[in-house]
Amino acid sequence: MRCHLSTLTEQTLEGKYWGISTGAFTFYFAPHLQVCAKGLFHSEQNTCLPCNCKGRADYCEDITGICINCRDHSTGDFCEMCEDGYMLARDLDETNITGVNYYYGNPMAIGNSCKHCDCNGNSDPNLIFSECHNVTGHCQHCWGNTAGANCERCAPGFYGDAISAKNCRECDCESGHCDMHTGECLVEAAAVNLCCDECIWHLIGDLRLSNKTVDQLKVGVLNISTGAAANDRLKYYNYTAHRLQVNARVRQLEKKLMLTDGRLPPVREILSRFSTQLSNTQGFLQKAASTIQETEDKNRASILKFQRNEQWTVCASKIYVYVFMCVCMCAKNVTGYHAAIDGASQKLMEKTERLSLADRDLVQRADEHAKELERQANELEEDLRDSDANGFVQRAISAANVYNNIVKYIDDANITSLTTLNLCQRAEDAVTGINLQLGYLLTQSDNVFKESVSLRSEQMVFCFVLCCLCFPVENLNVLVPELLDKLKVVEEKKPVNNVTTNIVRIRELIAQARSVARKVQVSMKFNGQSSVEVHPYSNPEELKTMTSISLFMRVDPDKDPIEDRFILYLGDRNGRKDYMGLAVKNDNLVYVYNLGGEDVEIPLSSKPVSQWPAVFNYIKVLGRHGKVFLTVPSQGSTDEQKFIQKGEAPGTDSLFDVDPKDLVFFVGGVPPDVRLPPPLSLAPFVGCIELASLNNDVISLYNFKATHKMDVVTSAPCPRYKLAFSQSRIASYLFDGTGYALISNIERRSKFGVVIRFDIAVRTIANDGVLFLMVSGDKFFLLELKNGFLRLMYDFGFSNGPKLLENDLPKLQINDARYHEVSVIYHQSKKVILLVDKSHVKSMENPKTTLPFSDIYIGGAPSSILKSRPELAGVVSLKGCVKGFQFQKKDFNLLEEPGTIGISSGCPEEFFMSHKAYFTGESYLGSIAKISPFDNFEGGLNFRTLQQSGLLFYYSEGSDEFSIYLENGGVVLNSRGIRVKSHKKQYNDGMTHFLVASVNNQKYSLFVDDKDKQEKKRPSSATRSSSDSALKTFYYGGSPSSSFKNFTGCITYTYINRQDRDIEPEDFQRYTEKVQTSLQDCPVQRPPAALLSRYRDNTSRAKHNQPQKVKRKEHWLLEDIFFYYLFINIQPCYLSSSPKATPQAFHYGGITNSRQHYTSISDSLSDRSHFSLSLKTHSSFGLIFYVSDVQEDNFMALFLAHGKLVYTFNVADQKVKIKSEDRYNDGEWHDVIFVRDGSMGRLIIDGLTVLEDRAQGSNISWHVSGHLYVGGVPPGKAQKNIQRNSAHSFTGCLKNLQLDGQWLSSVTEMFGVTPCFEGLSEAGTYFSEEGGYIVLDEFFDLGSNFELVMEVRPRVASGLLLHVHTAEGYFTIYIHQGAVVVTVNTGTNEFSTKVSPRQSLCAGKWHRITVTRNANIVQLNVDSEVNHVEAPLNTSSTDARKPVFIGGAPESITTRKAYVGCIRNLAINNSRVTFSKAALVSGAVSIGTCPAA
């Protein structure tokens, strides 16, 4: 057992007698004495001083300060010891315990001093402030069976070495006494000479036993020498005097009490009667209160129901009125325009009336659907709250059924919306038909056409509302989802705007339902007739290269004889194409698969099924290189039996090629209408199955599409011991990036105290993710991973904004697939301490504030919480494992918390494997293995790219190279100069492609997508073997030494044949060289339209991504409306548009002529001027201040030379020049004053250094004109008067610029000047919110054929990135509400394309943008997500040589807002753009540096 520090409950002592106890005496104090506040005691000096109780008691005794009612099993005068049977928890809760030096002595006595306590390391470790006596130095609590003044010997009854070995052991003697060193038994205890240092204490003890009067005691006190011991005794005498006075009063009260006792019985009887009547009255009151509460509950429920019905009525009424108005307006307009046309108006009116009636019916049906969706959403939400990852099976099925019903209603709504769309189109067709009939009236007909377009647009607005219902579930995340809790909406009386609100809510609930269903780790019991169809893999393309399935299966041979039975099937619905499956055949587990050739069966004959124990056994099968793994757990120990069987498909087919539309996944059996391949056409399964993973993703039977004859009530699932297998023996929780845990009312387990501690053990390979988050209104506390490093940010309402702990210390990087213990300690409400793996890493102070939270989110949070603060907008959920979470050392079972959703138990190793890698063109992966690719090689991989060239695989031995790479869009296998090329050359189309390359004694083979097959016979001269079979290095995606261009794109699910192990998917996480490579998910790409060329095969375009044709401007109306609704709720960017900066300070530099211009200053300048400013810089040279006349004959300047300040001006033909002796380029702020008084100059630095100089002769008139320049000068200026190496801008900050005591505020122009930002910076060019732009010269060609690449990190959702203006039109790139848009205007046509990347542009990360133009095709690539647009073939190009504006442009050129954020690595046609050499840098632009936060 341990002593635990906890928050103390408040006690009240006012109005009561209270006391203190010291051994045999107890002293009572009356309430009229002065009582200090809680935590303080009344001292002799009549002041209140803090109690020294270590936070374990609320009150202490007056005078002495001895603690009252020590808690948490502590004891002692100052709660410094633990009670018997307890020991102090010596962990990091007790800060600054170790290393404390204790002292004793009487420094007040002449010749005495404080000395170190020496207890030979044997003192009680629980002691914090008093290891030894403060006067004598005697150790007070010897530890480990030791004794003595210095704990230098073993205690009586023990023997051994107390100083060195510290092994005092109990004597084994009948007498109980032995020699304290040897252990030899003695008849009686050996005498131990005690020191006589305690004489003074014996004397004091005698004084205490004497019967001296109070006056005698006071005299005795005056005669005692002052010192530490005397001071202690003085306190004792003082409260003894109080005790004597109080005892006299107590005796008087006792006499009165005896007289009063005889009068008490009648009073007690009366009180008893009153007490009985009072109890009866309380009972009646409780019943009345209960009745009132029930009435209030019913009333509240009725009000909520009424409000809900009222809101639905209002919602439906609004929709009805809106549609009715649209239709009526349509009828009125069309009727009016055709009233004068021959008989046409009547026909159109009839069609309009029918349309109106149909639309009214649709509104009613839409209202009914919306109500049903609301009911289903409520039911789903209840099921989700009642279910967890290991929850009850029936609830999981209920949640899945509700999900299916919602999908059904969405499909119904889809039909309804399509019907509405058809009616809209029919209305347009009707108008068009009438126009054809009335063709001879061209003008009138044109008006009718315009009105029909108006009708269609108005109808489509309503269609847009209803179309929200028909969005497929996989597209729901297109809108920014917002979780809306319906009950809270009703309580807060916020009306639901329209049906879309419920749809957004349902989208998130469906996503949560899917997440929960995927993680239900419960089996299903199959009875020989039942079957389950599971939702197939989310990305079927990834199954083509490598497919692995793992599951738990239980059979009972004693109850159900083993027969040939079907287990599972993954493949084509009709059983005709590629497939894979499991079955029991001839008492063996058999893996069956077909990759387009023959059926392959791999039986696991080493362990017949009839010999399996009646427990769950773990099975895993691996795709093309067929493997079957079986793990049988031991029933009596932790041992496991493992079995494996290998096989391989014959022929060259290697791709698991199934159309995603026809892909099905059946377990246990199949419905009668499904055909299975002959090898799997067997009787359904009997037993229990629990799915585990598919390609390392957690799956569950409860994520089913349909069940057949499955009844979990009559066929209860088999229980599985979750810790039966070694990979699951450590209790942990799996977070897959979609769920979170919520601990509500965290103080229910332990209270907040002086020390508040959170502990979490995390294992992950993710770059970003929440560890835990607390939010309360505007206050929050966030611990997260950012780029692999721990990042702590919190705000408890501080006046200066959030506190941020962010660093790239190696200890803070924890995404290495190992468990790390992370602890956060909040100490004394003012200090945050961060520990990693029990080691202190970082601390941060803040204003003293109590922790204002009650709930804590682990691993993620609902979207509504993350949107509550801009600082949380970019936060993502955790992908990894959490082994435990503790608050105040109390454990929590996250799966049992009611608010937890979407997490599961266990931590499979597969979750930390990386089979995917994203390469940026400058990255590669390297590993070592025993391979010899020149002699025998087989390797396969998936790749996806938009680049025509790039290295996929590389290996070398000396000058010999083996490589696989892309060249002009085709795939090439190269072995020692022998090249095999693919036939097709369009593999850089952004689609996923699969290749297999092999080398043997006969030939070189290259297969791409199982269709493009090329071979070349191996010449006999190429059969020489490699040098040896030692470990060799190979690379994916590039190489540090190859001449090939590194790859840009994704490489996934690779394998090669190694000599030291079987073929299996490569785990990139284990690779020794990982250079600038992301091992997270590859960015999702839409299939792009490759740039047109005369060699392009137009039939290769995906049907769902046809090129966008150029439209007339009026046709963009509907798209603009849709775009507005889609982004109307865009949240602020993660990074603030106003980074923290020094007030009224400016930063100069980055370009040669960075500067500010001040006007109207020269008139006030004379030969007597007083300037002052503050300077901070690291520059050795550079101009700070300059003013002159037009010819620069008269001037004044302040500049840096070799880090020293130089002040100079002219007096006629003479120069005054003052130079400091010290350097001031140390990066600190320095105050500088430079004065001219006629011919004399004065330079004052930091108010201490005063330097003067003057010119000879009398004062001469001195005048300047034009601008005053700060920070630098225009090109060519100032070189006449100051040294050349200082006639350029300095790099640094200035503030507080004043002339004659007045602030300079008339800045007219700025060039490359920004606020002086604080904190960390990074490389790049920053465009500040004050506005600015860069103009490149006309060297860069942005004509009809070019490629432009840049990286951006925006701080606003909209802004101009690049603009080129020509006489005919313009070319522009900008961001608008989180989307990147490219627009080309040729004067006659305008066409554009945009990309809204999956990861928000405003999330605080860098994004890579590539724009490629080839004649009439413009392609936009943002983080590998691609879109394009085609223009008419006769489109003329923009002028190839025009200035290029970056980050903004003058209002005369464009009205788009300037960009705010950072830009780096801009390249045009593979030519790097250097902003420091730009033709012009105007406004608030910082070249070279960007604020990092």
Side-chain angles (χ1 to χ4, degrees), residues 781-939:
F781 188 101
L782 171 66
L783 178 65
E784 65 171 335
L785 270 178
K786 198 74 172 177
N787 299 320
F789 292 85
L790 284 172
R791 182 175 186 266
L792 180 62
M793 181 168 54
Y794 63 97
D795 188 350
F796 302 160
F798 306 133
S799 58
N800 56 350
K803 300 292 182 181
L804 178 64
L805 193 158
E806 187 174 35
N807 207 307
D808 56 358
L809 291 171
K811 287 184 179 180
L812 291 176
Q813 187 169 16
I814 64 169
N815 62 339
D816 55 2
R818 295 183 297 173
Y819 269 112
H820 292 276
E821 296 182 20
V822 181
S823 302
V824 175
I825 298 174
Y826 192 46
H827 189 254
Q828 293 185 342
S829 299
K830 64 180 180 179
K831 184 176 184 180
V832 173
I833 305 170
L834 179 63
L835 303 101
V836 179
D837 297 326
K838 300 181 180 180
S839 174
H840 178 268
V841 177
K842 209 77 174 173
S843 299
M844 190 160 47
E845 299 275 354
N846 58 258
K848 191 166 186 178
T849 311
T850 304
L851 208 61
F853 309 108
S854 61
D855 302 339
I856 182 167
Y857 293 92
I858 313 295
S863 58
S864 59
I865 296 295
L866 299 181
K867 292 177 182 179
S868 63
R869 294 259 330 182
E871 295 88 349
L872 306 179
V875 171
V876 298
S877 296
L878 177 69
K879 295 185 71 172
C881 290
V882 173
K883 188 161 60 177
F885 174 78
Q886 291 183 332
F887 166 65
Q888 300 292 64
K889 291 296 183 180
K890 297 292 194 305
D891 290 301
F892 288 83
N893 188 332
L894 301 184
L895 290 175
E896 293 180 356
E897 294 296 324
T900 294
I901 190 165
I903 71 173
S904 57
S905 63
C907 189
E909 285 298 320
E910 293 87 346
F911 195 75
F912 300 96
M913 295 180 178
S914 295
H915 299 310
K916 306 173 185 179
Y918 177 65
F919 302 85
T920 63
E922 299 178 354
S923 44
Y924 58 85
L925 291 169
S927 185
I928 56 175
K930 289 185 177 180
I931 60 174
S932 181
F934 298 115
D935 302 326
N936 181 25
F937 177 81
E938 180 185 347

Side-chain angles (χ1 to χ4, degrees), residues 6 23 121 130 132 172 200 346 375 435 496 524 568 636 694 758 770 892 971 996 1045 1050 1059 1154 1318 1359 1433 1439:
S6 65
S130 54
C132 67
D172 187 15
I200 186 172
Q346 183 63 32
R375 186 186 65 80
N435 289 335
V496 179
M524 284 190 180
L568 63 81
L694 176 59
F758 302 92
V770 178
F892 288 83
V971 181
V996 173
K1045 179 181 178 181
C1050 298
Q1059 298 175 8
S1154 171
E1318 299 177 356
L1433 292 175
D1439 193 338

Side-chain angles (χ1 to χ4, degrees), residues 938-1128:
E938 180 185 347
L941 56 86
N942 285 337
F943 69 91
R944 189 170 64 208
T945 185
L946 295 168
Q947 304 299 318
Q948 291 187 331
S949 303
L951 186 60
L952 296 171
F953 180 85
Y954 182 79
Y955 171 86
S956 65
E957 290 184 8
S959 60
D960 294 335
E961 292 185 342
F962 182 92
S963 56
I964 306 171
Y965 55 91
L966 281 171
E967 184 179 69
N968 296 324
V971 181
V972 180
L973 167 64
N974 172 46
S975 178
R976 287 176 175 158
I978 300 175
R979 290 155 51 99
V980 182
K981 299 181 180 180
S982 66
H983 174 71
K984 187 179 176 182
K985 293 187 178 180
Q986 288 84 34
Y987 291 117
N988 60 323
D989 56 1
M991 301 289 289
T992 299
H993 298 282
F994 170 64
L995 71 83
V996 173
S998 62
V999 176
N1000 56 36
N1001 293 330
Q1002 287 78 35
K1003 60 184 177 180
Y1004 304 95
S1005 303
L1006 178 65
F1007 307 117
V1008 184
D1009 293 341
D1010 266 0
K1011 298 174 183 178
D1012 191 349
K1013 304 179 180 181
Q1014 304 297 322
E1015 297 180 345
K1016 182 174 287 189
K1017 186 177 179 181
R1018 182 171 183 173
S1020 57
S1021 60
T1023 57
R1024 68 181 188 274
S1025 61
S1026 300
S1027 57
D1028 55 53
S1029 59
L1031 291 173
K1032 301 293 181 62
T1033 303
F1034 63 92
Y1035 299 95
Y1036 280 106
S1039 164
S1041 57
S1042 171
S1043 60
F1044 291 101
K1045 179 181 178 181
N1046 283 11
F1047 179 72
T1048 299
C1050 298
I1051 296 178
T1052 61
Y1053 289 97
T1054 66
Y1055 72 88
I1056 57 174
N1057 63 327
R1058 301 173 179 237
Q1059 298 175 8
D1060 51 352
R1061 76 178 192 200
D1062 294 330
I1063 288 180
E1064 59 185 46
E1066 293 292 307
D1067 181 8
F1068 293 145
Q1069 193 66 40
R1070 299 183 180 180
Y1071 276 31
T1072 55
E1073 296 183 65
K1074 296 187 278 286
V1075 178
Q1076 299 184 29
T1077 306
S1078 172
L1079 301 185
Q1080 308 304 315
D1081 292 340
C1082 292
V1084 175
Q1085 304 181 62
R1086 291 190 294 270
L1091 296 180
L1092 287 182
S1093 68
R1094 53 186 168 180
Y1095 303 107
R1096 179 176 175 183
D1097 179 9
N1098 291 326
T1099 61
S1100 65
R1101 300 178 188 168
K1103 293 182 180 180
H1104 61 280
N1105 195 33
Q1106 291 295 332
Q1108 303 170 9
K1109 300 298 182 182
V1110 178
K1111 302 177 178 68
R1112 292 183 299 176
K1113 184 64 181 176
E1114 59 266 22
H1115 286 190
W1116 286 83
L1117 175 62
L1118 184 61
E1119 182 176 347
D1120 292 340
I1121 293 174
F1122 198 95
F1123 188 82
Y1124 171 77
Y1125 278 106
L1126 189 63
F1127 291 101
I1128 193 170

Side-chain angles (χ1 to χ4, degrees), residues 1349-1380:
V1349 181
M1350 69 171 71
E1351 295 179 29
V1352 300
R1353 191 167 74 152
R1355 291 175 179 263
V1356 291
S1358 301
L1360 181 66
L1361 294 174
L1362 181 144
H1363 184 87
V1364 181
H1365 198 80
T1366 67
E1368 298 83 10
Y1370 57 83
F1371 169 81
T1372 184
I1373 307 173
Y1374 61 95
I1375 56 176
H1376 180 71
Q1377 297 294 6
V1380 180

Side-chain angles (χ1 to χ4, degrees), residues 198 336 436 448 612 652 673 851 854 899 1067 1129 1451:
E198 296 179 347
L436 293 175
V448 173
W612 291 13
T652 59
D673 60 339
L851 208 61
S854 61
D1067 181 8
N1129 290 321
E1451 293 183 359

Side-chain angles (χ1 to χ4, degrees), residues 56-336:
R56 302 185 183 107
D58 289 333
Y59 298 94
C60 59
E61 298 175 354
D62 284 350
I63 308 301
T64 65
I66 295 175
C67 300
I68 301 172
N69 296 332
C70 293
R71 305 192 335 182
D72 304 320
H73 306 290
S74 60
T75 185
D77 288 347
F78 302 102
C79 304
E80 74 276 13
M81 298 181 295
C82 288
E83 294 177 353
D84 292 341
Y86 292 83
M87 63 180 295
L88 185 66
R90 294 179 63 84
D91 50 29
L92 289 168
D93 292 35
E94 296 276 338
T95 57
N96 299 325
I97 288 179
T98 58
V100 176
N101 293 319
Y102 305 108
Y103 299 86
Y104 71 96
N106 185 1
M108 300 178 66
I110 299 176
N112 205 343
S113 63
C114 293
K115 309 175 186 63
H116 282 286
C117 296
D118 181 15
C119 297
N120 290 299
N122 291 326
S123 63
D124 187 346
N126 290 322
L127 295 179
I128 298 176
F129 294 101
S130 54
E131 187 179 26
C132 67
H133 193 273
N134 59 348
V135 173
T136 66
H138 287 188
C139 298
Q140 299 203 20
H141 296 275
C142 292
W143 192 262
N145 304 322
T146 61
N150 300 104
C151 303
E152 75 281 2
R153 54 184 173 79
C154 292
F158 295 83
Y159 73 98
D161 182 2
I163 298 177
S164 299
K166 300 185 185 300
N167 58 352
C168 293
R169 299 180 293 276
E170 188 174 4
C171 297
D172 187 15
C173 302
E174 291 183 1
S175 63
H177 306 298
C178 64
D179 185 276
M180 68 176 63
H181 299 293
T182 65
E184 182 179 353
C185 294
L186 302 174
V187 177
E188 57 184 7
V192 178
N193 292 326
L194 299 176
C195 298
C196 59
D197 296 339
E198 296 179 347
C199 292
I200 186 172
W201 295 105
H202 291 304
L203 175 61
I204 292 172
D206 293 337
L207 290 174
R208 183 177 60 184
L209 297 176
S210 67
N211 292 324
K212 292 183 178 181
T213 63
V214 174
D215 293 334
Q216 291 174 327
L217 291 175
K218 288 183 179 179
V219 173
V221 170
L222 295 175
N223 292 330
I224 297 176
S225 173
T226 59
N231 192 40
D232 286 347
R233 299 310 302 170
L234 182 59
K235 294 179 182 179
Y236 175 80
Y237 292 138
N238 282 336
Y239 69 73
T240 301
H242 282 291
R243 171 215 169 233
L244 293 175
Q245 294 174 359
V246 172
N247 280 349
R249 177 62 176 163
V250 168
R251 291 189 188 96
Q252 295 176 4
L253 292 176
E254 285 176 350
K255 293 179 180 179
K256 293 181 180 181
L257 183 61
M258 293 176 63
L259 296 175
T260 307
D261 281 344
R263 305 173 184 176
L264 287 179
V267 177
R268 286 174 180 166
E269 183 178 354
I270 295 172
L271 288 176
S272 177
R273 290 200 302 269
F274 276 113
S275 177
T276 302
Q277 295 176 2
L278 181 60
S279 298
N280 295 335
T281 304
Q282 288 177 342
F284 290 129
L285 288 175
Q286 289 175 355
K287 290 181 180 180
S290 176
T291 303
I292 292 172
Q293 185 63 39
E294 292 177 2
T295 304
E296 289 179 351
D297 292 342
K298 292 179 180 179
N299 186 39
R300 190 180 297 109
S302 300
I303 292 173
L304 291 176
K305 184 176 181 181
F306 173 77
Q307 290 175 344
R308 178 179 296 180
N309 294 335
E310 187 180 41
Q311 288 173 354
W312 277 112
T313 302
V314 173
C315 177
S317 300
K318 288 182 178 179
I319 297 175
Y320 176 86
V321 171
Y322 177 75
V323 177
F324 182 75
M325 290 175 62
C326 290
V327 176
C328 291
M329 187 180 295
C330 166
K332 179 180 178 181
N333 291 342
V334 176
T335 302

